[in-house]
């Protein structure tokens, strides 16, 4: 979203200077604005995947979809129509560009819709009637780059303005234990096998031999009308043939997430985490967790301990919240699988 704000200034400067943009630039700009519109929720919040920028509070980005529309770079209705600062871009596009036609409201959508941006690995599934949203980041590249983390397949779930499941985020650029812990598997909604994170981070890759980095494998996406699947082959650097498959299915007020670890036979210590965005969750039974209006159920092999634990997450740069989370951990025979499903009260 911050790069989209820079893009808007670039486009405006080119227009004021009567300079032509490079061939293909406008289509790339429109694609960036579509992703930004999908990221920005109707309340102006957005998922915090990867590094959180120290440049400005994330709330200052609100208003970007409207500015993208006025600039003629968004060919769909802004999900958040609120007029706001947009990280300063609002000053450049206070009025609709003269060559941009008036847009007309789209017909409201009922039920689930989904969008996948495969190159960047962003998946969005939205049910506007229920106010329930899923946002996933599964970068298919075999290593992380620059501002990335271990969150291959990490996700957020938002329900009527409430952050039910959140990404751990990264609250600092400063090297040290805090940054290390949030970038690793323990700071993300992912799994670890024998304490190994799903992906090799950027600085780790630079310290590895070229042949090792070139041998790393990435991921692939599949999408249908009721779900999506992300297959990750990054654990093959540890066990030949090992694949972690995470799938999301949506129906009514329920979201189901299944994890499968397959392609290799043996034993391994498995850890999986789910960062919860609100405090006040209760652990009712081995498999059931509840908070007002929502519940999470877990179906896990007997060898996995299921616990509600303290699990911090970042809400902005330099801001860490002492939150709660669900942790699965234990030694299992592989292949194996487990699932989580979340359901929110759609009647109230």
């Amino acid at each position: 979203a911050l790069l989209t704000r820079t893009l808007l200034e670039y486009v405006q400067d080119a227009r004021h200077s009567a300079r032509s943009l490079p061939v293909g630039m406008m289509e790339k700009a429109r694609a960036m604005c579509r992703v930004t519109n999908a990221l920005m929720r109707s309340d102006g919040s957005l998922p915090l995947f990867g590094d959180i920028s120290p440049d400005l509070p994330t709330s200052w980005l609100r208003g970007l979809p409207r500015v993208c529309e006025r600039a003629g770079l968004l060919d769909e209705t802004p999900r958040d129509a609120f007029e706001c600062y947009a990280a300063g871009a609002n000053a450049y596009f206070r009025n609709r560009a003269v060559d941009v036609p008036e847009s007309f409201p789209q017909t409201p959508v009922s039920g689930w819709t989904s969008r996948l941006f495969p190159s960047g690995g962003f998946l969005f599934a939205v049910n506007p009637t229920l106010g329930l949203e899923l946002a996933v980041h599964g970068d298919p590249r075999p290593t992380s780059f620059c501002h990335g983390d271990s969150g291959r397949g990490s996700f957020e779930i938002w329900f009527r303005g409430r952050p039910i499941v959140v990404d751990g985020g990264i609250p600092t650029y400063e090297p040290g234990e805090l940054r290390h812990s949030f970038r690793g598997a323990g700071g993300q909604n992912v799994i670890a096998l024998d304490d190994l994170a799903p992906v090799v981070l950027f600085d780790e890759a630079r310290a590895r031999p070229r042949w090792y980095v070139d041998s790393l494998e990435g991921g692939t996406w599949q999408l249908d009308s009721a779900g999506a699947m992300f297959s990750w082959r990054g654990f093959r650097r540890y066990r030949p043939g090992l694949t972690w498959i995470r799938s999301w299915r949506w129906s009514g007020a329920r979201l189901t997430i299944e994890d499968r670890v397959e392609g290799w036979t043996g034993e391994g210590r498995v850890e999986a985490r789910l960062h919860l965005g609100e405090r006040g969750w209760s652990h009712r039974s081995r498999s059931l967790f509840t908070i007002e209006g929502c519940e999470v159920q877990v179906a896990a092999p007997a060898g996995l301990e299921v616990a509600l634990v303290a699990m911090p997450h970042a809400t902005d740069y330099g801001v860490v919240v002492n939150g709660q989370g669900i942790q699965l951990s234990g030694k299992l025979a592989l292949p194996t699988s487990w699932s989580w499903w979340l359901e929110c009260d759609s009647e109230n």
Side-chain angles (χ1 to χ4, degrees):
L2 193 58
L3 285 176
T4 301
R5 179 257 178 268
T6 303
L7 166 78
L8 288 165
E9 187 173 355
Y10 181 85
V11 170
Q12 181 71 342
D13 286 348
R15 288 176 177 172
H16 280 173
S17 304
R19 299 189 64 174
S20 298
L21 293 172
V23 175
M25 179 68 184
M26 287 303 290
E27 184 47 46
K28 291 180 180 179
R30 292 188 181 95
M32 285 181 66
C33 291
R34 290 185 204 110
V35 175
T36 300
N37 193 38
L39 278 167
M40 302 291 288
R41 303 184 183 106
S42 60
D43 65 351
S45 66
L46 73 164
L48 299 179
F49 298 126
D51 275 330
I52 301 173
S53 174
D55 293 356
L56 74 175
T58 55
S59 62
W60 288 14
L61 293 166
R62 188 172 192 185
L64 273 174
R66 280 300 299 271
V67 176
C68 290
E69 180 193 37
R70 288 203 296 265
L73 298 176
L74 184 63
D75 50 8
E76 57 193 30
T77 301
R79 294 203 325 127
D80 176 20
F82 194 73
E83 296 276 359
C84 209
Y85 183 57
N90 192 38
Y92 298 105
F93 293 96
R94 294 191 182 278
N95 300 304
R96 184 178 297 273
V98 294
D99 56 343
V100 176
E102 287 288 337
S103 60
F104 297 94
Q106 297 176 351
T107 303
V109 175
S110 60
W112 285 96
T113 62
S114 59
R115 301 179 73 177
L116 174 65
F117 298 88
S119 295
F122 288 104
L123 167 72
F124 303 97
V126 179
N127 188 320
T129 305
L130 300 178
L132 187 59
E133 299 193 15
L134 167 71
V136 183
H137 189 219
D139 188 338
R141 297 176 295 179
T143 61
S144 286
F145 289 83
C146 299
H147 298 291
D149 53 32
S150 299
R152 293 301 192 272
S154 189
F155 60 94
E156 293 200 356
I157 297 173
W158 179 88
F159 177 60
R160 295 180 180 171
R162 296 172 57 189
I164 305 301
V165 175
V166 294
D167 186 82
I170 306 175
T172 180
Y173 281 11
E174 293 294 325
E177 181 57 33
L178 182 64
R179 179 170 173 79
H180 177 75
S181 63
F182 274 89
R183 293 174 79 204
Q188 306 294 316
N189 296 326
V190 296
I191 74 168
L193 296 177
D194 291 333
D195 298 321
L196 190 73
V199 68
V200 175
L201 297 173
F202 178 66
D203 46 338
E204 295 171 341
R206 289 193 300 178
R208 299 291 193 276
R210 183 79 258 168
W211 65 263
Y212 177 84
V213 175
D214 290 343
S215 71
L216 297 174
E217 298 186 57
T220 55
W221 276 97
Q222 295 180 32
L223 176 69
D224 60 43
S225 60
M229 183 171 69
F230 182 60
S231 299
W232 180 251
R233 301 181 296 277
F235 285 114
R236 294 183 183 182
R237 71 190 192 277
Y238 176 55
R239 299 296 189 191
L242 190 63
T243 303
W244 168 40
I245 301 171
R246 172 165 280 181
S247 61
W248 299 263
R249 308 296 295 177
W250 41 83
S251 178
R254 173 175 287 195
L255 281 163
T256 303
I257 299 94
E258 183 187 38
D259 288 313
R260 303 199 316 266
V261 182
E262 59 187 40
W264 182 82
T265 301
E267 270 194 342
R269 177 170 176 77
V270 174
E271 293 182 341
R273 292 175 177 83
L274 193 69
H275 291 72
L276 302 170
E278 299 177 323
R279 294 193 62 85
W281 284 85
S282 298
H283 193 178
R284 300 291 186 181
S285 66
R286 179 181 186 270
S287 62
L288 178 62
F289 302 82
T290 63
I291 196 170
E292 183 180 357
C294 294
E295 66 178 36
V296 172
Q297 295 196 52
V298 181
L304 278 183
E305 179 185 355
V306 182
L308 181 66
V309 300
M311 198 173 292
H313 63 271
T315 58
D316 216 322
Y317 189 85
V319 182
V320 176
V321 174
N322 294 321
Q324 294 176 289
I326 301 172
Q327 178 175 283
L328 312 183
S329 59
K331 199 164 190 177
L332 296 177
L334 306 181
T336 189
S337 66
W338 60 90
S339 60
W340 336 61
W341 59 92
L342 178 140
E343 193 159 0
C344 291
D345 185 0
S346 59
E347 300 301 321
N348 296 315

